[in-house]
Amino acid sequence: MPAPVTFTIEPGGCLRGAIGVPGDKSISHRAVIFGAIAEGDTEVHGFLEAADTLATAAAFRAMGVDIDGPRDGSLRVRGVGLRGLRAPDADLDLGNSGTAMRLLPGVLAAQAFDARLRGDASLNARPMGRIITPLTSMGARIEASAGMTPPLAIRGRGAPLTAIEYRMPVASAQVKSCLLLAGLYADGVTRIHEPAPSRDHTERMLSAFGHGVQRADDAIGIEGGTELRATKVEVPGDISSAAFFLVGASIAPGSDLRIEAVGMNPTRVGVIEVLRAMGARIDVLDERSVGGEPIADVRVRAADLHGVTIPRALVPLAIDEFPALFVAAACAEGETILEGAGELRVKESDRIAAMAAGLAALGVDAEPREDGMRIRGGALGGGRVASHGDHRIAMSLAMAGLRASAPVIVDDCANVATSFPGFAALARSAGLAIDVGVGR
Ligand code: S3P
């Protein structure tokens, strides 16, 4: 158990200057996974050195993949090809990482050896039926705990998987990516229908590794059987990490912050669209592209925000940013309504309940709903709030301190290290009066 970590934020201050945020978590996981099963050496730059992505690297090392680094964000993965992985000697511990727990079974279901995947208490409570059901119809043999949660035991099979056509009941990039990975090992074309677009980093990375996907209407198809070719991956800054700063600078008068080299993939920019609809002053500058992903510098200045009804189509495109957006809504004039976001209840914590409780503790009128939230903006007081061990709740509530009338103390923040190890130091350098207490 890591020592407990508490954030204390003194009220006031604003965010100014120029910062860079760590590498994108989704892309970093995928760079290791694809690098490991490709033929040849994959070089990764800008890799996120955080607990989640390091767990993925450790899992592939345990399956015989040589990985040098990461050092200063650079990593070299010596790919073993689709069939070169070795049986791990022990359970693969994926820590807090839902992405690792949902993507790895796509690869493991087709191997000739058995593997067992487990996680921390939060991950061991997350639903895995959404990958187990379609993988099973491809021929995978997976045993889960009661309630279809991890640990997962994946039994080896000597034969290829069977290609399927599958309609996903929820828009989930993790489920889609799991099935695309399994599709690499299937006979024929695996076709996946998404109810709404979700992040497409897997599709982009498959092309970068020389294995294009077929797209038609709402379906993505992948043909199994051919090897991937190693490549160089440049990981952009994580827009999900930038989101805390986009919100912080929007709500704190006097802020003017530039965030450099942020990933601007159209399937990830929902947070910017929602904030702009609320009246935020966000400029996207110097748009360019690295390694098949668009990036830009983003300038954000303080603004008078107003409440909005968030369009349902934006929900999958901003799914990880709602904790931060709820803080923006708490500082906006009028009411913000979110619906169609029941997925938030099964993230690293129940993010609807956790944010409603955190904001209520600061005096905000926040009403949790089954699949969303209603928030009426107003004055924020200080108080002690719980992150529920969820990195994004911790960082969002920390930013609320910018507008609170008294100190905000956020408990249980050790898990910030799963996605954003340098968060407090970076936020302090930009102007947040944050103090980190360890072991109290
Ligand atoms: C992710 C997809 C999203 C997101 C998660 C990362 C990914 O999950 O919440 O943090 O890397 O594919 P869902 O696909 O379950 O929505």
Side-chain angles (χ1 to χ4, degrees), residues 25-26 30 99 102 130 171-175 199 319-320 343 347 392:
K25 182 149 73 76
S26 294
R30 288 159 171 78
T99 302
R102 297 221 177 95
R130 55 185 62 192
S172 164
Q174 291 178 348
V175 176
R199 67 191 67 190
I319 192 67
D320 290 338
E343 278 294 296
K347 294 293 180 187
R392 299 200 198 282

PDB file of all heavy atoms in Angstrom, residues 25-26 30 99 102 130 171-175 199 319-320 343 347 392, ligand 1:
ATOM      1  N   LYS A  25      -2.098   8.694 -22.156  1.00  0.00           N
ATOM      2  CA  LYS A  25      -2.141   7.375 -21.505  1.00  0.00           C
ATOM      3  C   LYS A  25      -2.627   6.302 -22.484  1.00  0.00           C
ATOM      4  O   LYS A  25      -2.032   5.229 -22.587  1.00  0.00           O
ATOM      5  CB  LYS A  25      -3.064   7.456 -20.270  1.00  0.00           C
ATOM      6  CG  LYS A  25      -3.157   6.165 -19.487  1.00  0.00           C
ATOM      7  CD  LYS A  25      -3.395   6.430 -18.012  1.00  0.00           C
ATOM      8  CE  LYS A  25      -4.798   6.905 -17.693  1.00  0.00           C
ATOM      9  NZ  LYS A  25      -5.796   5.810 -17.741  1.00  0.00           N
ATOM     10  N   SER A  26      -3.708   6.593 -23.194  1.00  0.00           N
ATOM     11  CA  SER A  26      -4.255   5.588 -24.130  1.00  0.00           C
ATOM     12  C   SER A  26      -3.219   5.209 -25.186  1.00  0.00           C
ATOM     13  O   SER A  26      -3.051   4.029 -25.524  1.00  0.00           O
ATOM     14  CB  SER A  26      -5.484   6.161 -24.849  1.00  0.00           C
ATOM     15  OG  SER A  26      -6.518   6.368 -23.939  1.00  0.00           O
ATOM     16  N   ARG A  30      -1.067   1.558 -25.854  1.00  0.00           N
ATOM     17  CA  ARG A  30      -1.137   0.902 -27.166  1.00  0.00           C
ATOM     18  C   ARG A  30       0.245   0.778 -27.796  1.00  0.00           C
ATOM     19  O   ARG A  30       0.526  -0.192 -28.506  1.00  0.00           O
ATOM     20  CB  ARG A  30      -2.101   1.676 -28.069  1.00  0.00           C
ATOM     21  CG  ARG A  30      -3.577   1.482 -27.648  1.00  0.00           C
ATOM     22  CD  ARG A  30      -4.441   2.605 -28.196  1.00  0.00           C
ATOM     23  NE  ARG A  30      -5.873   2.391 -28.032  1.00  0.00           N
ATOM     24  CZ  ARG A  30      -6.551   2.574 -26.893  1.00  0.00           C
ATOM     25  NH1 ARG A  30      -5.917   2.938 -25.783  1.00  0.00           N
ATOM     26  NH2 ARG A  30      -7.869   2.398 -26.853  1.00  0.00           N
ATOM     27  N   THR A  99      -7.643   0.072 -18.911  1.00  0.00           N
ATOM     28  CA  THR A  99      -7.250  -0.097 -20.315  1.00  0.00           C
ATOM     29  C   THR A  99      -6.434  -1.376 -20.469  1.00  0.00           C
ATOM     30  O   THR A  99      -6.680  -2.179 -21.383  1.00  0.00           O
ATOM     31  CB  THR A  99      -6.446   1.130 -20.789  1.00  0.00           C
ATOM     32  OG1 THR A  99      -7.264   2.288 -20.604  1.00  0.00           O
ATOM     33  CG2 THR A  99      -6.071   1.014 -22.252  1.00  0.00           C
ATOM     34  N   ARG A 102      -8.668  -4.463 -20.098  1.00  0.00           N
ATOM     35  CA  ARG A 102      -9.608  -4.742 -21.197  1.00  0.00           C
ATOM     36  C   ARG A 102      -8.895  -5.013 -22.519  1.00  0.00           C
ATOM     37  O   ARG A 102      -9.436  -5.735 -23.356  1.00  0.00           O
ATOM     38  CB  ARG A 102     -10.588  -3.575 -21.332  1.00  0.00           C
ATOM     39  CG  ARG A 102     -11.454  -3.396 -20.074  1.00  0.00           C
ATOM     40  CD  ARG A 102     -12.893  -3.090 -20.395  1.00  0.00           C
ATOM     41  NE  ARG A 102     -13.715  -2.983 -19.200  1.00  0.00           N
ATOM     42  CZ  ARG A 102     -13.997  -1.838 -18.576  1.00  0.00           C
ATOM     43  NH1 ARG A 102     -13.521  -0.700 -19.029  1.00  0.00           N
ATOM     44  NH2 ARG A 102     -14.771  -1.843 -17.503  1.00  0.00           N
ATOM     45  N   ARG A 130     -18.308  -7.054 -20.694  1.00  0.00           N
ATOM     46  CA  ARG A 130     -18.336  -6.392 -22.002  1.00  0.00           C
ATOM     47  C   ARG A 130     -17.236  -6.873 -22.945  1.00  0.00           C
ATOM     48  O   ARG A 130     -17.384  -6.768 -24.154  1.00  0.00           O
ATOM     49  CB  ARG A 130     -18.270  -4.872 -21.804  1.00  0.00           C
ATOM     50  CG  ARG A 130     -17.084  -4.444 -20.990  1.00  0.00           C
ATOM     51  CD  ARG A 130     -17.068  -2.953 -20.692  1.00  0.00           C
ATOM     52  NE  ARG A 130     -18.203  -2.490 -19.900  1.00  0.00           N
ATOM     53  CZ  ARG A 130     -18.504  -1.205 -19.722  1.00  0.00           C
ATOM     54  NH1 ARG A 130     -17.783  -0.258 -20.301  1.00  0.00           N
ATOM     55  NH2 ARG A 130     -19.530  -0.855 -18.994  1.00  0.00           N
ATOM     56  N   ALA A 171     -20.623   2.595 -26.286  1.00  0.00           N
ATOM     57  CA  ALA A 171     -19.506   3.152 -27.056  1.00  0.00           C
ATOM     58  C   ALA A 171     -18.279   3.069 -26.167  1.00  0.00           C
ATOM     59  O   ALA A 171     -18.123   3.859 -25.248  1.00  0.00           O
ATOM     60  CB  ALA A 171     -19.787   4.600 -27.433  1.00  0.00           C
ATOM     61  N   SER A 172     -17.436   2.092 -26.411  1.00  0.00           N
ATOM     62  CA  SER A 172     -16.260   1.913 -25.572  1.00  0.00           C
ATOM     63  C   SER A 172     -15.033   1.625 -26.423  1.00  0.00           C
ATOM     64  O   SER A 172     -14.980   0.622 -27.140  1.00  0.00           O
ATOM     65  CB  SER A 172     -16.476   0.742 -24.599  1.00  0.00           C
ATOM     66  OG  SER A 172     -15.234   0.332 -24.059  1.00  0.00           O
ATOM     67  N   ALA A 173     -14.057   2.518 -26.314  1.00  0.00           N
ATOM     68  CA  ALA A 173     -12.816   2.322 -27.069  1.00  0.00           C
ATOM     69  C   ALA A 173     -12.049   1.122 -26.533  1.00  0.00           C
ATOM     70  O   ALA A 173     -11.305   0.478 -27.268  1.00  0.00           O
ATOM     71  CB  ALA A 173     -11.951   3.564 -26.979  1.00  0.00           C
ATOM     72  N   GLN A 174     -12.239   0.826 -25.253  1.00  0.00           N
ATOM     73  CA  GLN A 174     -11.528  -0.324 -24.692  1.00  0.00           C
ATOM     74  C   GLN A 174     -12.071  -1.626 -25.274  1.00  0.00           C
ATOM     75  O   GLN A 174     -11.309  -2.517 -25.636  1.00  0.00           O
ATOM     76  CB  GLN A 174     -11.635  -0.314 -23.164  1.00  0.00           C
ATOM     77  CG  GLN A 174     -10.844   0.845 -22.565  1.00  0.00           C
ATOM     78  CD  GLN A 174     -10.951   0.926 -21.056  1.00  0.00           C
ATOM     79  OE1 GLN A 174     -11.785   0.264 -20.451  1.00  0.00           O
ATOM     80  NE2 GLN A 174     -10.122   1.749 -20.452  1.00  0.00           N
ATOM     81  N   VAL A 175     -13.384  -1.729 -25.369  1.00  0.00           N
ATOM     82  CA  VAL A 175     -13.977  -2.947 -25.931  1.00  0.00           C
ATOM     83  C   VAL A 175     -13.607  -3.060 -27.414  1.00  0.00           C
ATOM     84  O   VAL A 175     -13.167  -4.119 -27.889  1.00  0.00           O
ATOM     85  CB  VAL A 175     -15.509  -2.949 -25.736  1.00  0.00           C
ATOM     86  CG1 VAL A 175     -16.126  -4.165 -26.421  1.00  0.00           C
ATOM     87  CG2 VAL A 175     -15.860  -2.931 -24.251  1.00  0.00           C
ATOM     88  N   ARG A 199     -12.786   6.969 -28.972  1.00  0.00           N
ATOM     89  CA  ARG A 199     -11.416   7.290 -29.376  1.00  0.00           C
ATOM     90  C   ARG A 199     -10.867   6.236 -30.330  1.00  0.00           C
ATOM     91  O   ARG A 199     -11.106   5.032 -30.144  1.00  0.00           O
ATOM     92  CB  ARG A 199     -10.514   7.492 -28.150  1.00  0.00           C
ATOM     93  CG  ARG A 199     -10.262   6.266 -27.327  1.00  0.00           C
ATOM     94  CD  ARG A 199      -9.595   6.599 -26.000  1.00  0.00           C
ATOM     95  NE  ARG A 199     -10.510   7.348 -25.148  1.00  0.00           N
ATOM     96  CZ  ARG A 199     -10.163   7.940 -24.013  1.00  0.00           C
ATOM     97  NH1 ARG A 199      -8.925   7.894 -23.591  1.00  0.00           N
ATOM     98  NH2 ARG A 199     -11.057   8.590 -23.301  1.00  0.00           N
ATOM     99  N   ILE A 319     -15.349  11.526 -22.202  1.00  0.00           N
ATOM    100  CA  ILE A 319     -15.770  10.628 -21.115  1.00  0.00           C
ATOM    101  C   ILE A 319     -14.891  10.746 -19.864  1.00  0.00           C
ATOM    102  O   ILE A 319     -15.407  10.677 -18.744  1.00  0.00           O
ATOM    103  CB  ILE A 319     -15.870   9.160 -21.614  1.00  0.00           C
ATOM    104  CG1 ILE A 319     -16.587   8.283 -20.596  1.00  0.00           C
ATOM    105  CG2 ILE A 319     -14.533   8.571 -21.995  1.00  0.00           C
ATOM    106  CD1 ILE A 319     -18.038   8.587 -20.404  1.00  0.00           C
ATOM    107  N   ASP A 320     -13.587  10.960 -20.053  1.00  0.00           N
ATOM    108  CA  ASP A 320     -12.709  11.033 -18.874  1.00  0.00           C
ATOM    109  C   ASP A 320     -12.658  12.443 -18.276  1.00  0.00           C
ATOM    110  O   ASP A 320     -12.058  12.643 -17.220  1.00  0.00           O
ATOM    111  CB  ASP A 320     -11.287  10.595 -19.248  1.00  0.00           C
ATOM    112  CG  ASP A 320     -11.221   9.096 -19.524  1.00  0.00           C
ATOM    113  OD1 ASP A 320     -12.107   8.348 -19.054  1.00  0.00           O
ATOM    114  OD2 ASP A 320     -10.288   8.670 -20.219  1.00  0.00           O
ATOM    115  N   GLU A 343     -21.869   5.455 -17.997  1.00  0.00           N
ATOM    116  CA  GLU A 343     -20.533   4.837 -17.942  1.00  0.00           C
ATOM    117  C   GLU A 343     -19.669   5.422 -16.824  1.00  0.00           C
ATOM    118  O   GLU A 343     -18.763   4.764 -16.319  1.00  0.00           O
ATOM    119  CB  GLU A 343     -19.820   5.048 -19.285  1.00  0.00           C
ATOM    120  CG  GLU A 343     -20.206   4.048 -20.342  1.00  0.00           C
ATOM    121  CD  GLU A 343     -19.748   2.641 -19.989  1.00  0.00           C
ATOM    122  OE1 GLU A 343     -18.546   2.405 -19.908  1.00  0.00           O
ATOM    123  OE2 GLU A 343     -20.615   1.773 -19.771  1.00  0.00           O
ATOM    124  N   LYS A 347     -16.215   3.784 -13.771  1.00  0.00           N
ATOM    125  CA  LYS A 347     -14.811   4.148 -14.034  1.00  0.00           C
ATOM    126  C   LYS A 347     -13.991   3.794 -12.788  1.00  0.00           C
ATOM    127  O   LYS A 347     -14.400   2.973 -11.985  1.00  0.00           O
ATOM    128  CB  LYS A 347     -14.727   5.628 -14.409  1.00  0.00           C
ATOM    129  CG  LYS A 347     -15.410   5.955 -15.733  1.00  0.00           C
ATOM    130  CD  LYS A 347     -14.683   5.319 -16.899  1.00  0.00           C
ATOM    131  CE  LYS A 347     -15.345   5.618 -18.223  1.00  0.00           C
ATOM    132  NZ  LYS A 347     -14.717   4.868 -19.324  1.00  0.00           N
ATOM    133  N   ARG A 392      -8.603  11.124 -11.293  1.00  0.00           N
ATOM    134  CA  ARG A 392      -9.238  12.284 -11.952  1.00  0.00           C
ATOM    135  C   ARG A 392     -10.151  13.063 -10.992  1.00  0.00           C
ATOM    136  O   ARG A 392     -10.342  14.269 -11.145  1.00  0.00           O
ATOM    137  CB  ARG A 392     -10.015  11.833 -13.192  1.00  0.00           C
ATOM    138  CG  ARG A 392      -9.103  11.179 -14.223  1.00  0.00           C
ATOM    139  CD  ARG A 392      -9.703  11.168 -15.609  1.00  0.00           C
ATOM    140  NE  ARG A 392      -9.033  10.185 -16.444  1.00  0.00           N
ATOM    141  CZ  ARG A 392      -7.850  10.353 -17.024  1.00  0.00           C
ATOM    142  NH1 ARG A 392      -7.189  11.477 -16.879  1.00  0.00           N
ATOM    143  NH2 ARG A 392      -7.321   9.400 -17.754  1.00  0.00           N
TER     144      ARG A 392
HETATM  145  C1  S3P B   1      -9.744   4.345 -22.826  1.00  0.00           C
HETATM  146  C2  S3P B   1     -11.075   4.370 -23.130  1.00  0.00           C
HETATM  147  C3  S3P B   1     -12.092   4.906 -22.216  1.00  0.00           C
HETATM  148  C4  S3P B   1     -11.480   5.786 -21.139  1.00  0.00           C
HETATM  149  C5  S3P B   1     -10.255   5.191 -20.543  1.00  0.00           C
HETATM  150  C6  S3P B   1      -9.201   4.923 -21.601  1.00  0.00           C
HETATM  151  C7  S3P B   1      -8.815   3.731 -23.802  1.00  0.00           C
HETATM  152  O1  S3P B   1     -12.769   3.845 -21.574  1.00  0.00           O
HETATM  153  O2  S3P B   1     -12.422   6.050 -20.133  1.00  0.00           O
HETATM  154  O3  S3P B   1      -9.698   6.060 -19.566  1.00  0.00           O
HETATM  155  O4  S3P B   1      -7.581   3.917 -23.681  1.00  0.00           O
HETATM  156  O5  S3P B   1      -9.291   3.058 -24.721  1.00  0.00           O
HETATM  157  P1  S3P B   1     -14.073   3.155 -22.266  1.00  0.00           P
HETATM  158  O6  S3P B   1     -13.619   2.641 -23.543  1.00  0.00           O
HETATM  159  O7  S3P B   1     -14.482   2.078 -21.315  1.00  0.00           O
HETATM  160  O8  S3P B   1     -15.075   4.247 -22.373  1.00  0.00           O
END
